[in-house]
Amino acid sequence: MATTTFSSYNKMAMALALVLLAVLMAPASSAHLSPNFYHKSCPKLLSLVRAGVRSAVAKEARMGASLLRLHFHDCFVNGCDGSILLDDTPTFLGEQTAAPNNRSVRGFNVIASIKEKIEKICPDVVSCADILTLSARDSVVALGGPSWKVKLGRRDSKTASFSDVSGAIPPQTSTLPTLINRFSTKGLSPKDLVALSGAHTIGKARCLFFKNRIYNETNIDKSFAKERQRNCPRNGGDENRSPFDFRTPNLFNNNYYKNLVEKKALLRSDQVLHDGGSTDSLVELYSHDSAAFESDFVAAMIKMGDIEPLIGLQGEIRKVCSRPN
Ligand code: HEM
Ligand SMILES: *[C@@H]1O[C@H](CO)[C@@H](O)[C@H](O)[C@H]1NC(C)=O
Ligand SMILES: *[C@@H]1O[C@H](CO)[C@@H](O)[C@H](O)[C@H]1NC(C)=O
């Protein structure tokens, strides 16, 4: 009896020590983010962002997609630090004209106008990086998707990097191994990749990005390809846009995965997630289990929001999102 008790105490102590060790070894950065970060300093923050996003999405549903993508492109390039929001300055070339972003990312005015309202009631307190993270969540909610608690406390970068964008954001010509590799560099798993790609249930892409796919590729439904060709000619029309999800373009749901299973993905980088490779089964699961998709999407969004934040005394709280103080 006595030995059993002793050894179970021992095991408990060991377990406790392991938990402590895990806590101490966790990356300090994301551990500092917390949903209550502005609880005292800016209690109206959440309702202000929600109102700003709601009215922008009511005016134009696609804006919800654009804000979600803006957050992704911010986080993948040197962390979620609001760097994508910075215009070029005399001392650095910003991220907005780098190939994956040029004439493609949008929503800057929505973030700027939300920031302006926040500065009026709690000046110099809330980072642009956090406003963008909240806006991405509120966009998903505004288009009928799941909600979650957003961790806050990120600070803003004082600089941005044109040259770091293309190596971080994968191109739409990527193979599955390339996508998996780019995401793993950011600490995101293949499951996170598949779940986050579900963001392509909303928004649009330009003809130049899917032209080769709808004329040349073979892993595509023929009638789907024909339909897309009507608005994307072999020559020209590069700027014409098609919705990613032709069934419910402005609703955040799991139809994206149904499209993939039917070989009706718009981009090559979408179809490779269901093309005989290691992620097929997950795509199939999400295509018929929207609860599984939603819960994995939420977990992956929180992980993406944790990428290399600036915290403590790092960076700054910008007064205006488009320029350093
Ligand atoms: C996996 C690799 C990914 C690739 C290769 C990719 C590529 C693209 C491309 C080429 C476009 C169209 C851009 C244009 O026509 O100007 C696009 C749009 C979009 N992307 Fe992705 N993307 C990826 C992952 C993601 C992720 C992780 C998210 C968010 C969590 C996301 C959200 C969006 C949204 C919402 C749009 C539509 C934006 C709008 O209509 O304004 N994408 N993406
Ligand atoms: C971005 O787009 C503009 C307008 O089309 C173009 O003039 C410029 O060369 C592009 N920049 C880059 C870096 O590709
Ligand atoms: C189809 O592939 C050929 C050969 O690679 C290429 O020359 C052509 O531009 C492609 N067509 C489209 C519409 O992308």
Side-chain angles (χ1 to χ4, degrees), residues 211-213 215-216 233-234:
K211 182 176 285 196
N212 184 60
R213 170 158 171 76
Y215 286 100
N216 276 338
R234 219 177 257 281

Side-chain angles (χ1 to χ4, degrees), residues 105-297:
V105 285
R106 56 203 287 278
F108 298 103
N109 292 342
V110 175
I111 300 299
S113 114
I114 294 173
K115 170 70 168 172
E116 239 172 74
K117 294 196 178 92
I118 292 167
E119 286 307 288
K120 282 197 186 116
I121 57 161
C122 18
D124 301 323
V125 165
V126 182
S127 70
C128 298
D130 278 341
I131 293 172
L132 184 51
T133 312
L134 283 168
S135 299
R137 188 271 313 268
D138 290 341
S139 293
V140 170
V141 173
L143 295 173
S147 189
W148 64 94
K149 276 195 175 148
V150 173
K151 292 203 261 168
L152 300 166
R154 298 167 192 79
R155 291 167 64 84
D156 296 321
S157 68
K158 297 179 181 179
T159 186
S161 172
F162 178 94
S163 57
D164 287 345
V165 178
S166 288
I169 308 283
Q172 80 290 344
T173 48
S174 299
T175 61
L176 181 59
T178 302
L179 292 178
I180 289 176
N181 182 45
R182 292 275 178 115
F183 275 64
S184 85
T185 310
K186 304 295 163 191
L188 299 171
S189 67
K191 190 193 218 180
D192 296 324
L193 161 68
V194 176
L196 287 171
S197 296
H200 288 174
T201 175
I202 51 175
K204 294 182 173 183
R206 280 175 294 162
C207 165
L208 78 152
F209 289 127
F210 57 84
K211 182 176 285 196
N212 184 60
R213 170 158 171 76
I214 61 176
Y215 286 100
N216 276 338
E217 291 187 353
T218 50
N219 59 352
I220 187 168
D221 177 87
K222 285 210 172 69
S223 67
F224 173 74
K226 273 236 151 60
E227 189 59 34
R228 297 281 84 82
Q229 287 169 7
R230 284 171 36 175
N231 193 34
C232 183
R234 219 177 257 281
N235 299 300
D238 282 359
E239 300 298 306
N240 299 352
R241 283 168 215 282
S242 269
F244 275 103
D245 174 16
F246 56 96
R247 305 168 198 246
T248 52
N250 296 321
L251 276 186
F252 192 98
N253 56 29
N254 66 337
N255 281 346
Y256 169 80
Y257 302 98
K258 296 182 182 160
N259 298 336
L260 300 201
V261 171
E262 295 174 8
K263 298 282 173 265
K264 294 174 180 171
L266 194 56
L267 303 180
R268 174 180 153 91
S269 53
D270 294 316
Q271 195 61 66
V272 295
L273 302 177
H274 190 278
D275 196 25
S278 58
T279 52
D280 280 19
S281 54
L282 201 49
V283 168
E284 282 157 32
L285 172 72
Y286 293 160
S287 76
H288 59 74
D289 187 343
S290 72
F293 161 54
E294 290 194 351
S295 93
D296 289 352
F297 177 80

